[in-house]
Amino acid sequence: MSESRQLIAPVTGISKIALVALAVVFLAGLFVVAFDQGHILSLVYGEQAFADQFFHELAHDVRHASGFPCH
């Protein structure tokens, strides 16, 4: 007769680095959707980014659906 052995790997949970990375991604996304008026791209495009508001227009409908006023 053959014996079967079951190996059980201990589950230690989610690493703290993964939680911090997830929190940073969440906060960056929240900033882009809720508050960005050209601030992020102004680092690259300068004052023109405030006039174009690329991320504002990209996330415009998401802002209204989430309840954030934007105009």
Side-chain angles (χ1 to χ4, degrees):
M1 210 181 241
S2 65
E3 290 182 32
S4 62
R5 293 185 182 174
Q6 185 176 12
L7 297 176
I8 299 173
V11 178
T12 59
I14 301 172
S15 72
K16 291 179 184 177
I17 294 173
L19 287 176
V20 169
L22 182 64
V24 167
V25 168
F26 172 77
L27 291 174
L30 180 67
F31 176 78
V32 167
V33 170
F35 303 111
D36 184 49
Q37 298 287 332
H39 298 95
I40 292 177
L41 289 180
S42 69
L43 300 172
V44 178
Y45 293 114
E47 291 294 321
Q48 186 63 33
F50 293 107
D52 293 342
Q53 294 186 1
F54 178 72
F55 285 130
H56 173 88
E57 296 301 326
L58 187 66
H60 190 261
D61 293 336
V62 175
R63 286 178 188 221
H64 289 297
S66 301
F68 291 105
C70 61
H71 48 84

